[in-house]
Amino acid sequence: MRIPRFYTTQALAIDTHITLEQEPSHHLRHVLRLRTGDDVILFAGDGNEYTATLTQVAKHGAEARIGEPLKKRANRMDHWHKIVINACEQSGRCRLPLINNPMAIDRALKEQKSELALLLDHRNAQTLAQIKQPRSSVSILIGPEGGLSQEERDLAIQNGFQGLRLGPRIMRTETAPLATIAAIQTIWGDF
């Protein structure tokens, strides 16, 4: 699905909020029937375009939270895709894992469709051996450096994630996914 693009006269910067002008607000609300939580692309004529998430769509106007510039995101996606290819070549895997476009955590948690969703959290008491093996798919939520906020952890639990403790130590963001996948394959095999 193509993400709608809108022009704004306002300066755009990562992690800021803006209220869109009357014309794009009207168009996205009445013509495209977009709602709070939908993604759009914004540009201000300076050569950059940004991802944005609508935080409010109302009669008086629409508000959006500005995400990343698309040029940086495209470069990052290309980099991640190359890493996936190299990993598959080295491991003998024939199927490339999908890499979805980055999105706000609240939306990602709501759209998660795996049979089992795990929240890696060293504060949790539940271990992998205590969790029933899924038949098809697993999603793993691992926080950034410094960890997820309490609000983000609560939101994950509300969206069906189960807390998982791999041990008492806090791992780096780069190694936590590998350790989790290795533990899953050790206990459950290549299900």
Side-chain angles (χ1 to χ4, degrees):
M1 182 175 127
R2 187 169 178 268
I3 298 175
R5 295 178 76 236
F6 297 98
Y7 172 75
T8 180
T9 59
Q10 301 170 65
L12 300 173
I14 297 172
D15 286 333
T16 58
H17 284 78
I18 65 166
T19 300
L20 292 169
E21 293 87 349
Q22 182 179 357
E23 188 174 327
S25 292
H26 174 81
H27 187 74
L28 68 85
R29 181 170 183 252
H30 295 286
V31 178
L32 299 178
R33 303 202 188 284
L34 297 179
R35 298 173 185 247
T36 299
D38 286 343
D39 291 328
V40 296
I41 296 171
L42 299 177
F43 67 101
D46 61 357
N48 293 315
E49 56 183 359
Y50 292 79
T51 61
T53 302
L54 298 174
T55 56
Q56 183 176 356
V57 178
K59 289 182 181 179
H60 69 276
E63 296 178 10
R65 182 175 47 84
I66 311 303
E68 297 181 356
L70 284 177
K71 190 174 190 178
K72 286 181 184 176
R73 186 170 88 175
N75 291 341
R76 190 177 305 169
M77 292 294 287
D78 286 343
H79 174 71
W80 291 339
H81 187 69
K82 288 175 187 173
I83 289 171
V84 166
I85 290 170
N86 289 334
C88 289
E89 289 172 347
Q90 291 174 9
S91 67
R93 184 181 176 111
C94 296
R95 186 175 299 161
L96 292 178
L98 295 176
I99 301 174
N100 294 324
N101 286 321
M103 64 178 72
I105 189 169
D106 55 341
R107 180 173 172 205
L109 294 173
K110 288 175 187 167
E111 292 185 6
Q112 184 284 124
K113 303 266 191 282
S114 296
E115 179 184 346
L116 175 64
L118 299 172
L119 164 61
L120 192 63
D121 188 351
H122 68 281
R123 292 169 286 244
N124 201 287
Q126 182 171 238
T127 66
L128 196 56
Q130 297 169 315
I131 297 174
K132 183 181 175 190
Q133 177 179 342
R135 287 172 275 132
S136 61
S137 59
V138 177
S139 287
I140 305 167
L141 176 60
I142 297 169
E145 184 177 334
L148 295 168
S149 69
Q150 184 62 51
E151 180 183 342
E152 291 168 330
R153 290 193 303 274
D154 291 344
L155 188 59
I157 299 298
Q158 291 168 14
N159 282 281
F161 281 76
Q162 297 180 42
L164 169 67
R165 175 187 169 121
L166 286 185
R169 290 170 189 80
I170 298 172
M171 291 182 256
R172 291 179 56 89
T173 300
E174 299 87 7
T175 56
L178 301 174
T180 306
I181 292 168
I184 286 172
Q185 289 189 322
T186 299
I187 293 174
W188 295 336
D190 199 11
F191 70 100

Coordinates of all heavy atoms in Angstrom, one line a residue, residues 81-127:
H81 N 19.4 -5.5 5.0 CA 19.1 -6.5 4.0 C 20.4 -7.2 3.6 O 20.5 -8.5 3.5 CB 18.5 -5.9 2.7 CG 18.0 -6.9 1.7 ND1 17.0 -7.8 2.0 CD2 18.5 -7.3 0.5 CE1 16.8 -8.6 0.9 NE2 17.7 -8.3 0.0
K82 N 21.5 -6.5 3.4 CA 22.8 -7.1 3.1 C 23.3 -8.0 4.3 O 23.8 -9.1 4.1 CB 23.9 -6.0 2.8 CG 23.6 -5.4 1.5 CD 24.6 -4.2 1.3 CE 24.2 -3.5 0.0 NZ 25.0 -2.2 -0.2
I83 N 23.0 -7.6 5.5 CA 23.4 -8.4 6.7 C 22.6 -9.7 6.7 O 23.2 -10.8 6.9 CB 23.2 -7.6 8.0 CG1 24.2 -6.5 8.1 CG2 23.2 -8.6 9.2 CD1 23.9 -5.5 9.3
V84 N 21.3 -9.6 6.4 CA 20.5 -10.8 6.3 C 21.0 -11.8 5.2 O 21.1 -13.0 5.4 CB 19.0 -10.5 6.0 CG1 18.2 -11.7 5.6 CG2 18.4 -9.8 7.3
I85 N 21.3 -11.3 4.1 CA 21.9 -12.1 3.0 C 23.2 -12.8 3.4 O 23.3 -14.0 3.2 CB 22.1 -11.3 1.7 CG1 20.7 -10.9 1.1 CG2 22.9 -12.1 0.6 CD1 20.7 -9.9 0.0
N86 N 24.1 -12.0 4.0 CA 25.4 -12.6 4.4 C 25.2 -13.7 5.5 O 25.8 -14.7 5.4 CB 26.3 -11.5 5.0 CG 26.8 -10.6 3.9 OD1 26.9 -11.0 2.7 ND2 27.2 -9.4 4.2
A87 N 24.2 -13.4 6.4 CA 24.0 -14.4 7.4 C 23.4 -15.7 6.8 O 23.8 -16.8 7.3 CB 23.0 -13.8 8.5
C88 N 22.5 -15.6 5.9 CA 21.9 -16.7 5.2 C 23.0 -17.5 4.4 O 23.0 -18.7 4.4 CB 20.8 -16.3 4.3 SG 19.3 -15.8 5.2
E89 N 23.9 -16.8 3.8 CA 25.0 -17.4 3.0 C 25.9 -18.2 4.0 O 26.2 -19.4 3.7 CB 25.8 -16.4 2.3 CG 25.1 -15.8 1.1 CD 25.8 -14.6 0.4 OE1 26.8 -14.1 1.0 OE2 25.4 -14.3 -0.7
Q90 N 26.2 -17.7 5.1 CA 27.1 -18.3 6.1 C 26.4 -19.5 6.8 O 27.1 -20.5 7.1 CB 27.6 -17.3 7.1 CG 28.5 -16.3 6.5 CD 28.9 -15.2 7.5 OE1 28.5 -15.3 8.7 NE2 29.5 -14.2 7.0
S91 N 25.1 -19.4 7.0 CA 24.4 -20.4 7.8 C 23.8 -21.5 7.0 O 23.3 -22.5 7.5 CB 23.3 -19.8 8.7 OG 22.3 -19.3 7.9
G92 N 23.8 -21.4 5.7 CA 23.1 -22.4 4.8 C 21.6 -22.2 4.7 O 21.0 -23.1 4.2
R93 N 21.1 -21.1 5.2 CA 19.7 -20.9 5.2 C 19.3 -20.5 3.8 O 20.0 -19.7 3.1 CB 19.3 -19.8 6.2 CG 17.8 -19.5 6.3 CD 17.5 -18.4 7.3 NE 16.2 -18.1 7.3 CZ 15.3 -18.3 8.3 NH1 15.8 -18.9 9.4 NH2 14.1 -18.0 8.2
C94 N 18.2 -21.0 3.3 CA 17.7 -20.7 1.9 C 16.6 -19.7 1.8 O 16.3 -19.2 0.8 CB 17.3 -22.0 1.2 SG 18.6 -23.2 1.0
R95 N 16.0 -19.4 3.0 CA 14.9 -18.5 3.0 C 15.3 -17.2 3.7 O 15.7 -17.3 4.9 CB 13.7 -19.1 3.7 CG 12.4 -18.2 3.6 CD 11.2 -18.9 4.2 NE 10.9 -20.1 3.5 CZ 10.2 -21.0 4.0 NH1 9.7 -21.0 5.2 NH2 9.9 -22.1 3.2
L96 N 15.2 -16.1 3.1 CA 15.5 -14.8 3.7 C 14.5 -14.3 4.7 O 13.3 -14.3 4.3 CB 15.7 -13.7 2.6 CG 16.9 -13.8 1.7 CD1 16.8 -12.6 0.7 CD2 18.2 -13.8 2.4
P97 N 14.8 -14.0 5.9 CA 13.9 -13.5 6.8 C 13.4 -12.1 6.3 O 14.2 -11.4 5.7 CB 14.7 -13.3 8.1 CG 15.8 -14.2 8.0 CD 16.1 -14.3 6.5
L98 N 12.2 -11.8 6.6 CA 11.6 -10.5 6.2 C 12.1 -9.4 7.1 O 12.1 -9.6 8.3 CB 10.1 -10.5 6.1 CG 9.5 -11.5 5.1 CD1 7.9 -11.5 5.3 CD2 9.8 -11.1 3.7
I99 N 12.3 -8.2 6.6 CA 12.7 -7.1 7.4 C 11.6 -6.1 7.1 O 11.4 -5.6 6.0 CB 14.0 -6.5 7.1 CG1 15.1 -7.5 7.3 CG2 14.3 -5.2 7.9 CD1 16.5 -7.0 6.8
N100 N 10.8 -5.8 8.1 CA 9.7 -4.8 7.9 C 10.2 -3.4 8.1 O 11.3 -3.2 8.8 CB 8.6 -5.0 9.0 CG 7.9 -6.3 8.8 OD1 7.7 -6.8 7.6 ND2 7.5 -7.0 9.8
N101 N 9.5 -2.4 7.5 CA 9.9 -1.0 7.7 C 9.8 -0.7 9.2 O 8.9 -1.1 9.9 CB 9.0 -0.1 6.9 CG 9.4 -0.2 5.4 OD1 10.5 -0.2 5.1 ND2 8.4 -0.2 4.6
P102 N 10.7 0.2 9.7 CA 10.6 0.6 11.1 C 9.2 1.3 11.3 O 8.7 2.0 10.4 CB 11.7 1.6 11.2 CG 12.7 1.3 10.1 CD 11.8 0.8 9.0
M103 N 8.7 1.2 12.5 CA 7.4 1.8 12.8 C 7.4 2.1 14.3 O 8.2 1.6 15.1 CB 6.2 1.0 12.4 CG 6.1 -0.3 13.2 SD 4.6 -1.3 12.7 CE 5.0 -1.8 11.1
A104 N 6.5 2.9 14.8 CA 6.4 3.3 16.2 C 6.1 2.0 17.0 O 5.4 1.1 16.5 CB 5.3 4.3 16.4
I105 N 6.6 1.9 18.2 CA 6.5 0.7 19.0 C 5.1 0.4 19.3 O 4.7 -0.8 19.2 CB 7.4 0.8 20.3 CG1 7.4 -0.6 20.9 CG2 6.9 1.9 21.2 CD1 8.4 -0.7 22.0
D106 N 4.2 1.3 19.6 CA 2.8 1.0 19.9 C 2.1 0.4 18.7 O 1.4 -0.6 18.8 CB 2.1 2.3 20.4 CG 2.1 3.4 19.4 OD1 3.0 3.5 18.5 OD2 1.3 4.3 19.5
R107 N 2.4 0.8 17.5 CA 1.8 0.2 16.3 C 2.4 -1.1 16.0 O 1.6 -2.1 15.7 CB 2.0 1.1 15.1 CG 1.4 0.6 13.8 CD 1.5 1.5 12.7 NE 1.1 0.8 11.5 CZ 1.5 1.2 10.3 NH1 2.2 2.2 10.1 NH2 1.1 0.5 9.2
A108 N 3.7 -1.3 16.2 CA 4.3 -2.6 16.0 C 3.8 -3.6 16.9 O 3.5 -4.8 16.5 CB 5.8 -2.5 16.1
L109 N 3.6 -3.3 18.2 CA 3.0 -4.2 19.2 C 1.6 -4.6 18.8 O 1.3 -5.8 18.9 CB 3.1 -3.6 20.6 CG 4.5 -3.4 21.1 CD1 4.4 -2.6 22.4 CD2 5.3 -4.7 21.3
K110 N 0.8 -3.7 18.4 CA -0.6 -4.0 18.0 C -0.7 -4.9 16.8 O -1.6 -5.7 16.6 CB -1.4 -2.7 17.8 CG -1.6 -2.0 19.1 CD -2.3 -0.6 18.8 CE -2.4 0.1 20.1 NZ -2.8 1.5 19.9
E111 N 0.3 -4.7 15.8 CA 0.2 -5.4 14.6 C 0.9 -6.8 14.6 O 0.9 -7.5 13.6 CB 0.8 -4.6 13.4 CG -0.1 -3.4 13.1 CD 0.4 -2.6 11.9 OE1 1.4 -3.0 11.3 OE2 -0.2 -1.5 11.7
Q112 N 1.5 -7.1 15.7 CA 2.2 -8.4 15.9 C 1.3 -9.5 15.7 O 0.2 -9.6 16.3 CB 2.9 -8.4 17.3 CG 3.8 -9.5 17.6 CD 3.0 -10.8 17.9 OE1 3.2 -11.8 17.3 NE2 2.1 -10.8 18.9
K113 N 1.6 -10.5 14.9 CA 0.7 -11.6 14.6 C 1.2 -13.0 14.9 O 0.6 -14.0 14.5 CB 0.3 -11.5 13.1 CG -0.3 -10.2 12.6 CD -1.8 -10.3 12.7 CE -2.4 -9.1 12.0 NZ -2.5 -7.9 12.7
S114 N 2.4 -13.1 15.5 CA 3.0 -14.4 15.8 C 2.1 -15.2 16.8 O 1.4 -14.6 17.6 CB 4.4 -14.2 16.3 OG 5.2 -13.6 15.3
E115 N 2.3 -16.5 16.7 CA 1.6 -17.4 17.7 C 2.1 -17.1 19.1 O 1.4 -17.1 20.1 CB 1.9 -18.8 17.3 CG 1.3 -19.8 18.2 CD 1.6 -21.2 17.9 OE1 2.1 -21.5 16.8 OE2 1.4 -22.1 18.7
L116 N 3.4 -16.8 19.2 CA 4.0 -16.6 20.5 C 4.8 -15.3 20.5 O 5.6 -15.1 19.5 CB 5.0 -17.7 20.9 CG 5.7 -17.6 22.2 CD1 4.8 -17.5 23.4 CD2 6.7 -18.7 22.4
A117 N 4.6 -14.4 21.4 CA 5.3 -13.1 21.5 C 6.0 -13.0 22.8 O 5.4 -13.2 23.9 CB 4.3 -12.0 21.3
L118 N 7.4 -12.8 22.7 CA 8.2 -12.8 23.9 C 8.8 -11.5 24.1 O 9.3 -10.9 23.2 CB 9.3 -13.9 23.8 CG 8.9 -15.3 23.6 CD1 10.0 -16.2 23.3 CD2 8.1 -15.8 24.9
L119 N 8.8 -11.0 25.3 CA 9.4 -9.8 25.8 C 10.7 -10.1 26.6 O 10.5 -10.6 27.7 CB 8.5 -8.9 26.6 CG 9.0 -7.8 27.4 CD1 9.7 -6.7 26.5 CD2 8.0 -7.1 28.3
L120 N 11.8 -9.9 26.0 CA 13.1 -10.2 26.8 C 13.3 -9.2 27.9 O 13.4 -8.0 27.6 CB 14.3 -10.3 25.8 CG 15.5 -10.9 26.4 CD1 15.3 -12.3 26.7 CD2 16.7 -10.7 25.4
D121 N 13.3 -9.7 29.1 CA 13.4 -8.8 30.3 C 14.0 -9.5 31.4 O 13.5 -10.5 32.0 CB 12.0 -8.3 30.6 CG 12.0 -7.2 31.7 OD1 13.1 -6.9 32.3 OD2 10.9 -6.6 32.0
H122 N 15.2 -9.1 31.8 CA 16.0 -9.7 32.9 C 15.3 -9.7 34.3 O 15.6 -10.4 35.1 CB 17.4 -9.1 33.0 CG 17.4 -7.7 33.5 ND1 17.1 -6.6 32.7 CD2 17.6 -7.2 34.8 CE1 17.1 -5.5 33.4 NE2 17.4 -5.8 34.7
R123 N 14.2 -8.8 34.4 CA 13.5 -8.7 35.6 C 12.4 -9.8 35.8 O 11.9 -10.0 36.8 CB 12.8 -7.3 35.8 CG 13.8 -6.2 35.9 CD 13.1 -4.9 35.8 NE 12.8 -4.7 34.4 CZ 13.4 -3.7 33.6 NH1 14.1 -2.9 34.2 NH2 13.1 -3.6 32.4
N124 N 12.1 -10.5 34.7 CA 11.0 -11.5 34.7 C 11.5 -12.8 35.3 O 12.7 -13.1 35.2 CB 10.5 -11.7 33.2 CG 9.2 -12.3 33.2 OD1 9.0 -13.4 33.5 ND2 8.2 -11.4 32.9
A125 N 10.6 -13.5 35.9 CA 11.0 -14.8 36.5 C 10.8 -16.0 35.5 O 11.4 -17.0 35.7 CB 10.1 -15.0 37.7
Q126 N 10.0 -15.8 34.5 CA 9.7 -16.9 33.6 C 10.9 -17.2 32.6 O 11.4 -16.3 32.0 CB 8.5 -16.6 32.7 CG 8.0 -17.7 31.8 CD 6.7 -17.4 31.2 OE1 5.8 -18.2 31.3 NE2 6.5 -16.3 30.5
T127 N 11.2 -18.5 32.5 CA 12.3 -18.9 31.6 C 11.7 -19.6 30.4 O 10.6 -20.0 30.3 CB 13.3 -19.9 32.3 OG1 12.5 -21.1 32.6 CG2 13.8 -19.3 33.6

